[in-house]
Amino acid sequence: LRTILVGPPGAGKGTQAPRIRDEFCVCHLATGDMLREQVQAKTPLGVQAKKIMDAGGLVSDDIMVGIIQDQLDNNKACKNGFVLDGFPRTVPQAQKLDGMLNARGEKLDSVVQLLIDDQLLISRITGRLIHGPSGRTYHKEFNPPKKAGVDDVTGEKLIQRSDDNVDTLRKRLASFHAQTGPVVDYYRTKGLWHGIDAAQSPSVVWDSMRSIFVAKK
Ligand code: AP5
Ligand code: ZN
């Protein structure tokens, strides 16, 4: 399986992608999670990326394409396929991805867009809690951890992302519509696009996603 999840901030990409990873034995490449690891480690890229992420902008195409190329080349878990979460976000990223896959003799199966009104995303984003090291995601109201404020698996503290506030969300949404909207059209013309209603509960969203992948098999 080689698929891409596209959707605005809070649509549920990071909630659903691990289910795809586990069910179809593919790697989950989440560019936002990878950037947050660099921020945490205070690498030069992390320091630069933090400013951009907190301003709701996009990190340069060259850097992001380099990260994905490196994963496809070196991450053994990607041998069987992948689910991309947060990439490609611009048309040049999508074109570069096509080039990389062509060179590898691989093809995308599908691009799944998580459709949801911007209005519904505010509460999802402001209530989100994450476990930094694993990227596991919770929600204070919609998906609370078993014990308040700590990760179910490790018992470690959950945190709020520094870009999860209403002001930055507005900018992230604007970037999504302006830069990632054309990516959706790019894949539509290639006949790879599927849309699902992402306003439903996580399990209903998963059922619709899963049926797309199973039908393609
Ligand atoms: P990234 O980390 O990719 O952020 P994003 O695209 O804004 O998406 P989110 O992670 O906010 O949302 P999600 O769809 O994963 O939602 P989730 O499942 O967590 O990128 C961050 C930044 O990095 C970017 O702004 C950019 O600066 C940079 N970047 C990353 N990739 C880049 C690239 N390729 N090029 C350039 N720059 C790049 O769900 C949200 C909340 O809702 C959770 O609390 C969850 O529990 C809850 N929830 C999920 N589903 C449901 C449901 N069905 N019902 C109720 N609640 C739900
Ligand atoms: Zn995410």
Side-chain angles (χ1 to χ4, degrees):
L1 181 85
R2 293 187 190 87
T3 192
I4 296 174
L5 300 187
V6 185
K13 304 180 294 293
T15 298
Q16 300 296 336
R19 299 188 185 207
I20 302 174
R21 176 197 64 205
D22 294 346
E23 171 126 0
F24 296 92
C25 301
V26 294
C27 66
H28 168 205
L29 301 183
T31 43
D33 289 353
M34 294 175 201
L35 291 172
R36 279 183 289 279
E37 278 169 26
Q38 299 279 330
V39 171
Q40 188 67 30
K42 297 195 168 69
T43 63
L45 167 60
V47 172
Q48 191 194 341
K50 180 167 169 46
K51 289 186 201 141
I52 298 169
M53 292 163 87
D54 287 348
L58 295 184
V59 174
S60 83
D61 289 338
D62 284 349
I63 290 176
M64 300 315 300
V65 167
I67 289 178
I68 292 292
Q69 175 87 62
D70 176 57
Q71 288 289 321
L72 293 180
D73 287 346
N74 300 313
N75 183 340
K76 290 204 176 72
C78 300
K79 268 205 174 134
N80 202 27
F82 53 72
V83 49
L84 302 185
D85 159 2
F87 183 96
R89 257 179 155 91
T90 64
V91 170
Q93 289 182 16
Q95 290 167 333
K96 291 270 172 58
L97 176 65
D98 274 347
M100 281 185 247
L101 294 177
N102 277 338
R104 304 166 65 82
E106 295 175 352
K107 267 200 167 72
L108 280 174
D109 303 308
S110 51
V111 174
V112 180
Q113 183 175 12
L114 287 84
L115 299 160
I116 183 163
D117 284 346
D118 287 2
Q119 204 50 37
L120 292 172
L121 300 172
I122 300 169
S123 57
R124 286 202 187 178
I125 288 291
T126 53
R128 171 166 53 192
L129 294 170
I130 63 160
H131 176 242
S134 67
R136 261 187 298 282
T137 297
Y138 300 85
H139 191 282
K140 285 177 191 166
E141 200 183 325
F142 309 141
N143 178 26
K146 290 192 185 103
K147 189 166 164 239
V150 300
D151 178 43
D152 289 352
V153 179
T154 62
E156 290 166 350
K157 209 167 168 262
L158 300 176
I159 56 155
Q160 225 183 352
R161 274 169 51 174
S162 62
D163 58 345
D164 278 354
N165 57 73
V166 177
D167 267 0
T168 307
L169 172 62
R170 285 217 176 84
K171 294 173 190 148
R172 289 159 63 197
L173 281 170
S175 304
F176 174 77
H177 292 299
Q179 318 243 52
T180 313
V183 173
V184 171
D185 299 331
Y186 177 87
Y187 289 121
R188 238 188 239 272
T189 57
K190 290 181 180 280
L192 291 169
W193 182 88
H194 299 263
I196 57 163
D197 178 2
Q200 302 299 313
S201 69
S203 59
V204 172
V205 173
W206 168 238
D207 286 342
S208 351
M209 243 181 218
R210 198 176 171 279
S211 59
I212 294 171
F213 304 138
V214 170
K216 286 250 169 188
K217 266 195 159 181

